């Protein structure tokens, strides 16, 4: 059962061959055995989980079960969930028990999914390696010396290690796709505005987007059906007709136009990743896809643009943590200003402080035009690059990250080196497009490598179709680490 997909668990629950309480118990046992080494979860509360599972079993007995009722789900510690600690990986929120549910949590609760625990993450979702958590680094289940990717590294590691069949993640600059790639699972970051940000702790509001992480594209589609939807409490939530993201899964790929951006296959891409992506493209060709070369000429500028815009927005969003209303407050201080300063100095880790400093600087009078405004102009150029590319193709394929997972500690002392590893994921967020990662092979050292699929706005169903068809003829997504 431990390797089962959401689809399979849903069928087993419907057939009553397992109860939700039994299923939750299996995963909780596995978490108890393996989490001490992996550190994928910040909070596990067996009492709460089993109560949710019992409620799901009762709903089923009363004939009120939906497709995912009773299925366990790991939740990134960024989603406010009533009664659960919602730390966002930070000492600042170590004492914060959410008093309300995020919209996404309301949706998964209404669907009867059972919270198996709250997953570790980079502090305030800032990072690419999950080394920035107040709760310590997450280990990659494929190789405990490797990073799992970030910032949704706990969610990715949990699914890869079969501590949960699926997880919720968020992606501001790659945080669903890159950990999915490094841990050998599937994850999709939807079009900006498809999933409500209400109750999702804010990092960079114009880039943040929640999404599903699971073993298969089909499972991601099922979970996205639950997560997506209009919410009036998020001013950027989009009011669109409800979609069934599974509707195109079984379509043929014959005649599909696949774009390969030449900038994604230039210097900087490791031989391992190039080999895996080439092989995946060849596989899709066998399924009938036609390949065209496209160009995204402003790709390199995505790094400076993102690392101006995201910190700018973060510096504003994180001003709410002042020690007054909630979160960490310094024990000793002289006056109000001193209380603010000490609370923030003690509550935030070094990467978060670095971003607040950079963000405040680029927004300050005299530098705003040179940095922030310039970055916004570059952002438009990047979106225009994609617009032109999608005139020639249906989906874009490429790498997720330049290399397979690097070692813990390898880049943690060099923030710029860390930022550079985000080169293939940031543009998608800057343009507001959907992107996903699909397991596609392994590096010579045995670490997983994902294929990135980028779609035009609202083409999630098409991307999931490409991923699902790929998963019908490959079994990379079915492989699990030996633990
Ligand atoms: N690695 C990027 C950063 O550090 C993206 C993080 C994210 O998507 N939350 O900002």
């Amino acid at each position: 059962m431990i390797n089962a997909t959401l689809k399979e668990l849903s069928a087993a629950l419907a057939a009553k061959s397992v109860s939700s309480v039994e299923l939750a118990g299996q995963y909780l046992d596995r978490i108890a055995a393996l989490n001490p080494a992996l550190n994928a979860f910040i909070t596990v509360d067996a009492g709460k989980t089993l109560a949710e599972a019992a409620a799901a079993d009762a709903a089923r007995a009363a004939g009120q079960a939906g497709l995912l009722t009773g299925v366990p789900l790991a939740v990134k510690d960024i989603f406010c969930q009533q009664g659960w600690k919602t730390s966002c990986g930070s000492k600042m929120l170590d004492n914060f028990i959410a008093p309300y549910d995020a919209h996404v949590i309301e949706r998964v609760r209404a669907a009867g999914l059972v919270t198996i625990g709250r997953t570790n993450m980079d502090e305030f979702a800032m990072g690419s390696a999950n080394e920035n958590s107040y709760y310590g680094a997450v280990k990659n289940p494929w190789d405990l010396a490797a990073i799992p990717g970030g910032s949704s590294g706990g969610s990715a590691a949990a699914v890869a290690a079969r501590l949960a069949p699926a997880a919720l993640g968020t992606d501001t600059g790659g945080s669903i796709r890159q950990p999915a790639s490094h841990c050998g699972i599937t994850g999709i970051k939807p079009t900006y505005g498809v999933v409500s940000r209400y109750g999702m702790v804010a990092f960079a509001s114009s880039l943040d987007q929640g999404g599903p992480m699971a073993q298969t594209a089909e499972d991601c589609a099922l979970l996205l059906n639950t997560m997506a939807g209009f919410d009036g409490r998020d001013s950027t939530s989009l009011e669109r007709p409800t979609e069934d993201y599974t509707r195109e899964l079984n379509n043929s790929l014959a005649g599909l136009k696949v774009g390969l951006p030449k900038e994604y296959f230039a210097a900087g891409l490791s031989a391992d990743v190039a080999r895996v992506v080439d092989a995946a493209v060849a596989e899709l060709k066998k399924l009938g896809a036609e390949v065209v070369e496209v160009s995204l000429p402003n790709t390199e500028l995505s790094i400076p643009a993102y690392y101006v815009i995201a910190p700018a927005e973060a510096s504003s969003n994180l001003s709410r943590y002042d020690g007054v209303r909630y979160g960490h407050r310094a024990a000793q201080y002289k006056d109000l200003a001193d209380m603010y300063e000490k609370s923030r100095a003690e509550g935030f880790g070094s990467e978060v402080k670095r971003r607040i400093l950079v963000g405040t600087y680029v927004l300050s009078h005299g530098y705003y035009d040179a940095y922030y405004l310039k970055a916004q102009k570059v952002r438009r150029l990047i979106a225009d690059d994609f617009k032109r590319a999608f005139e020639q193709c249906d989906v874009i394929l490429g790498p997720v990250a330049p290399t397979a997972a690097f070692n813990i500690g390898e880049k943690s002392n060099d923030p710029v080196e860390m930022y550079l590893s985000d080169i293939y994921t940031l543009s998608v967020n800057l343009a507001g497009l959907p992107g996903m990662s699909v397991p596609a092979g392994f590096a010579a050292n045995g670490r997983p490598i994902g294929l990135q699929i980028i779609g035009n706005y609202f083409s999630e169903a098409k991307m999931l179709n490409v991923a699902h068809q790929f998963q019908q003829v490959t079994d990379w997504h079915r492989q699990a680490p030996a633990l």
Side-chain angles (χ1 to χ4, degrees), residues 175-449:
S175 280
I176 288 176
R177 289 161 287 156
Q178 185 254 23
S181 174
H182 286 342
C183 290
I185 66 161
T186 308
I188 181 164
K189 173 239 173 257
T191 306
Y192 182 77
V194 163
V195 169
S196 168
R197 291 180 295 107
Y198 177 78
M200 218 173 83
V201 178
F203 163 13
S205 305
S206 77
L207 301 160
D208 297 343
Q209 188 63 196
M213 304 172 82
Q215 288 176 42
T216 67
E218 183 172 38
D219 283 359
C220 284
L222 292 172
L223 203 48
L224 189 55
N225 277 349
T226 306
M227 297 173 75
F230 175 68
D231 173 24
R233 297 165 301 185
D234 169 1
S235 61
T236 57
S237 172
L238 295 165
E239 209 164 353
R240 306 183 73 248
T242 307
E243 278 188 53
D244 175 5
Y245 293 101
T246 66
R247 71 184 187 277
E248 294 185 28
L249 289 179
N250 295 314
N251 288 2
S252 154
L253 299 188
L256 179 86
K257 281 229 169 69
V258 157
L260 300 181
K262 60 172 191 254
E263 295 79 5
Y264 283 28
F265 297 88
L269 187 65
S270 70
D272 274 330
V273 177
R275 166 180 56 78
V276 165
V277 172
D278 286 350
V281 171
E283 203 66 60
L284 289 165
K285 272 195 194 159
K286 281 196 240 158
L287 294 173
E290 292 164 25
V291 171
V292 292
E293 186 183 272
V294 295
S295 176
L296 300 170
N298 293 294
T299 296
E300 272 193 6
L301 294 179
S302 67
I303 296 174
Y306 173 90
Y307 280 101
V308 165
I309 293 169
E313 295 186 16
S315 72
S316 165
N317 274 324
L318 272 59
S319 67
R320 72 190 63 173
Y321 305 106
D322 55 8
V324 175
R325 290 156 296 186
Y326 56 90
H328 177 76
R329 179 185 295 178
Q332 275 155 14
Y333 45 87
K334 289 199 298 281
D335 52 24
L336 184 62
D338 194 43
M339 194 273 276
Y340 291 155
E341 284 172 23
K342 288 213 170 76
S343 299
R344 287 168 69 81
E346 293 170 9
F348 291 137
S350 56
E351 182 61 25
V352 173
K353 286 178 185 160
R354 182 179 295 117
R355 306 259 182 137
I356 292 173
L357 287 171
V358 169
T360 308
Y361 180 80
V362 299
L363 288 174
S364 60
H365 183 71
Y367 295 104
Y368 181 92
D369 287 7
Y371 295 107
Y372 184 72
L373 204 61
K374 178 79 75 51
Q376 292 289 20
K377 289 177 179 168
V378 170
R379 183 175 189 172
R380 165 48 56 105
L381 294 178
I382 288 170
D384 288 346
D385 283 354
F386 280 109
K387 204 169 162 205
R388 273 188 295 274
F390 282 121
E391 282 163 11
Q392 292 169 259
C393 62
D394 303 308
V395 292
I396 289 172
L397 299 183
V400 177
T403 63
F406 44 87
N407 287 336
I408 292 174
E410 195 176 321
K411 297 190 184 188
S412 46
N413 294 321
D414 188 344
V416 172
E417 190 61 27
M418 189 76 87
Y419 300 166
L420 291 173
S421 70
D422 293 340
I423 175 85
Y424 305 122
T425 50
L426 302 174
S427 309
V428 162
N429 302 74
L430 289 166
L433 291 165
M436 70 184 293
S437 177
V438 183
F442 292 88
N445 64 7
R447 297 179 185 177
I449 293 172

